Amino acid sequence: MTKSYTEETMLSDPQDSTTWPEDGHGSQDENDPEKNSKAHEELAGDMDDEDEEEFNRLDEDDDDEEEEEDEGDAQKPKRRGPKKKKMTKARVQRFKMRRMKANARERNRMHGLNDALESLRKIVPCYSKTQKLSKIETLRLAKNYIWALSEILRSGKSPDLMSFVQALCKGLSQPTTNLVAGCLQLNPRTFLPEQSQELPGHMQPPGASFAAHPYSYQTPGLPSPPYGTMDSSHIFHVKPHSYGSSLEPFFETALTDCTSPSFDGPLSPPLSVNGNFSFKHEPSSEFEKNYAFSMHYQAAGLAGAQGHAPLYPSSAQRCEIPMDNLMSYDGHTHHERVMNAQLNAIFHDS
DNA sequence: TAGGCCATCTGGTCCT
DNA sequence: AGGACCAGATGGCCTA
């Protein structure tokens, strides 16, 4: 990018002895999160008083000098085009102040974005404070999660664990897949199609691109998988009959069919799992030993909301897991807890 | 050491 | 005019 002789070019003036970063980028100190946050607080907090006064004072100085410039320019031949204001010291200072305020705003904005992402991390199935999902993986997992839940709502049938985890892990990197598998106490090898067998046809989500490469797990050591390997946009745009039948088996298999997964124990480092339906503890009941994954069904959940009889009548509950334990992650409102209770109800002992 | 991830700065664009 | 948003650039940190 070429720079005209503007305020911007003045900032890189090596003669400038101010604290403004001379290379136009953050210094090492500025990249330090603690110092940055502190600087941010100072900027955000104090900009309105002391800095504002200085800003205003510079503004006045600038106006004064600008008048002098006008008088001086009057003696020179007039030039065509937009009038370029000479960069006075005051103008440089004013621009610096403006830039600092913009940087502070931008930092603040990004912090807000990161906060929102952190909230998303807590909502998606696999949450760990010690091993955070990357931003992109969080978004991918959230997308898969939404897609899977949408399918549950659409079909009204309970998914089997393996299929659900497969759906969650579509397009995720190998480490993230391992993490999710670890959260659910699954061995990723048991559901990574490309490592053993082709995906069953009924597991292929709708969409042509899907059919070709339903799962595009990267090989270890390679960069993250290509984006867009799972196009979930079809969920609300494809006619139901065009994919409904193909997905039926996906959610038809009862949890009682899930005896095949091999629970080799956690592959990932110990996690503090606060996921909506994932938890890690010693299996205490027969049900947990078999599935390591079960939910306490509450009939007043989704089925009732859908206007028909409960899909999964509560049977003798072999695994009693207080919902509070499942939804105990921080910062969730009552509404979120209720929502998650309903979602958790999907996974029931049928 | 290369690559991934991240925070930050920066300038452009759009909107109010 | 100023703020929000965005994308590119840059450098630091971490890990395989």
Side-chain angles (χ1 to χ4, degrees):
Chain A
M1 181 184 299
T2 59
K3 289 182 177 180
S4 60
Y5 184 71
T6 60
E7 294 164 331
E8 287 79 357
T9 53
M10 292 296 292
L11 290 177
S12 59
D13 184 359
Q15 303 296 326
D16 191 350
S17 61
T18 64
T19 56
W20 193 256
E22 295 181 356
D23 60 353
H25 292 279
S27 63
Q28 189 164 357
D29 282 354
E30 286 171 336
N31 283 333
D32 184 76
E34 287 188 359
K35 293 181 181 178
N36 274 329
S37 61
K38 188 176 182 181
H40 168 242
E41 289 174 4
E42 289 175 353
L43 265 179
D46 299 336
M47 184 64 79
D48 290 336
D49 38 18
E50 294 181 6
D51 290 342
E52 202 66 40
E53 290 179 13
E54 173 70 5
F55 183 87
N56 293 334
R57 191 185 61 79
L58 289 172
D59 213 15
E60 293 172 4
D61 291 347
D62 182 45
D63 291 340
D64 293 340
E65 293 184 26
E66 203 167 315
E67 289 180 2
E68 295 175 3
E69 296 299 328
D70 291 343
E71 292 176 1
D73 288 343
Q75 299 174 353
K76 297 177 183 177
K78 288 199 173 183
R79 198 181 47 177
R80 285 177 173 270
K83 184 179 179 182
K84 288 189 177 180
K85 294 181 179 180
K86 186 178 179 179
M87 291 305 300
T88 66
K89 202 168 184 176
R91 184 175 295 278
V92 171
Q93 288 297 319
R94 187 170 65 162
F95 179 80
K96 287 179 180 178
M97 283 308 277
R98 201 165 62 216
R99 200 55 257 177
M100 286 176 70
K101 291 171 80 173
N103 290 345
R105 283 195 306 271
E106 179 65 9
R107 274 197 302 271
N108 205 23
R109 195 181 68 86
M110 294 309 296
H111 289 166
L113 198 59
N114 290 338
D115 288 345
L117 207 54
E118 185 61 28
S119 299
L120 189 59
R121 282 193 184 100
K122 293 176 181 175
I123 291 176
V124 294
C126 188
Y127 173 66
S128 167
K129 284 183 178 179
T130 56
Q131 191 173 344
K132 277 173 53 176
L133 290 176
S134 70
K135 292 181 176 180
I136 185 67
E137 292 292 87
T138 299
L139 293 175
R140 285 176 182 145
L141 180 57
K143 182 189 72 176
N144 291 351
Y145 190 35
I146 293 170
W147 182 86
L149 294 178
S150 298
E151 282 303 310
I152 292 171
L153 288 175
R154 186 196 61 77
S155 66
K157 293 181 179 178
S158 169
D160 65 283
L161 172 61
M162 297 293 289
S163 299
F164 194 82
V165 175
Q166 280 184 317
L168 285 182
C169 293
K170 287 187 184 77
L172 300 184
S173 67
Q174 189 67 62
T176 307
T177 299
N178 292 341
L179 186 63
V180 174
C183 284
L184 301 179
Q185 298 190 349
L186 276 177
N187 184 340
R189 284 174 301 208
T190 63
F191 63 87
L192 289 184
E194 98 287 7
Q195 293 179 357
S196 53
Q197 72 278 348
E198 290 295 324
L199 237 202
H202 69 268
M203 284 297 303
Q204 295 180 4
S209 61
F210 247 120
H213 300 286
Y215 296 87
S216 59
Y217 294 106
Q218 67 169 89
T219 54
L222 292 179
S224 297
Y227 297 164
T229 52
M230 176 183 176
D231 180 10
S232 57
S233 61
H234 54 269
I235 293 175
F236 301 109
H237 302 294
V238 178
K239 293 178 181 177
H241 70 267
S242 66
Y243 64 92
S245 57
S246 65
L247 274 180
E248 285 303 310
F250 178 73
F251 298 102
E252 244 172 10
T253 311
L255 279 174
T256 51
D257 295 332
C258 286
T259 53
S260 55
S262 60
F263 300 103
D264 293 349
L267 295 179
S268 302
L271 298 171
S272 172
V273 179
N274 268 333
N276 296 338
F277 56 88
S278 62
F279 45 90
K280 184 168 291 185
H281 61 101
E282 289 300 318
S284 57
S285 68
E286 188 64 27
F287 184 71
E288 287 180 79
K289 288 176 184 174
N290 287 339
Y291 311 116
F293 178 85
S294 53
M295 290 297 141
H296 178 134
Y297 179 71
Q298 295 179 341
L302 289 170
Q306 288 177 325
H308 42 74
L311 295 168
Y312 317 111
S314 183
S315 59
Q317 286 147 357
R318 288 164 290 181
C319 178
E320 297 292 341
I321 302 172
M323 297 304 289
D324 283 348
N325 289 351
L326 300 177
M327 257 69 67
S328 60
Y329 45 84
D330 300 333
H332 278 222
T333 64
H334 174 72
H335 172 72
E336 287 173 309
R337 293 166 64 89
V338 170
M339 287 290 292
N340 282 298
Q342 293 175 339
L343 292 176
N344 282 325
I346 295 167
F347 298 92
H348 66 105
D349 52 336
S350 53

